[in-house]
Every structure is written in C-alpha cells, then in structure tokens.
C-alpha cells in the first residue's frame, strides 16, 4: 500500500471523518509535500492535531501531511471516487 493510501486509511477510520484524501501540494524545497483533505461526519470537530495524531508512529515523519484542509463536501466523480 502506498503511503498516501495508508495515511488516508488511518485518518478515514476515525469515526468523525466521512472521507479523507492525501494529495501532493507543490513545495519550493522538496518539489511536493502531502496535505490531508477531509470531509467531517456530522460537523465533527477535531483539531488538526487530533486528525494527524493517529499517523504518529505509524508512518514516517517525512510523510506526515503539512496541512489539513477541511471541505464541506468532498468532490466526487460520477462513480463516487474522490
């Protein structure tokens, strides 16, 4: 399983999270860095730290997302994929 799928699976398993995605964002130093995009379930209120905490110790520190972006609705394709 690639790292972004593992991050997404770990965060997506939180009961407050409806959907999660990890994508690369351009970075001047590294070329690209991961960010976490989440759609919360029932207006779930978790801090960025609470969303990222399950990743600590389970993924390499350089793969931890640099930012969390919350969306009211995750954009989906006609087949339901993010």
């Amino acid at each position: 399983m690639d790292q972004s799928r593992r991050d997404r699976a770990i965060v997506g398993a939180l009961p407050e999270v409806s959907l999660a995605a990890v994508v690369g964002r351009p970075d001047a130093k590294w070329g690209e860095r991961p960010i976490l995009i989440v759609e919360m379930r029932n207006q779930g209120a978790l801090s960025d730290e609470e969303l990222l905490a399950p990743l600590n110790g389970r993924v390499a520190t350089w793969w931890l997302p640099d930012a969390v972006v919350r969306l009211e609705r995750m954009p989906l394709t006609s087949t339901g994929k993010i």
Side-chain angles (χ1 to χ4, degrees):
M1 178 181 299
D2 69 36
Q3 194 60 50
S4 65
R5 288 179 59 198
R6 182 173 310 179
D7 291 356
R8 181 181 70 227
I10 293 169
V11 173
L14 295 171
E16 298 87 353
V17 175
S18 178
L19 293 170
V22 177
V23 298
R25 174 173 65 182
D27 182 85
K29 182 176 181 179
W30 302 108
E32 188 175 79
R33 291 288 303 144
I35 62 169
L36 172 65
I37 302 171
V38 294
E39 176 185 315
M40 303 302 287
R41 188 181 317 275
N42 302 322
Q43 274 66 41
L46 292 178
S47 68
D48 291 359
E49 293 77 22
E50 290 169 316
L51 286 167
L52 296 173
L55 300 174
N56 291 324
R58 296 179 75 183
V59 299
T61 56
W62 60 85
W63 275 107
L64 292 174
D66 288 343
V68 175
V69 176
R70 289 171 175 77
L71 298 178
E72 187 174 315
R73 286 297 236 189
M74 190 74 74
L76 302 176
T77 66
S78 60
T79 59
K81 294 181 180 181
I82 296 174

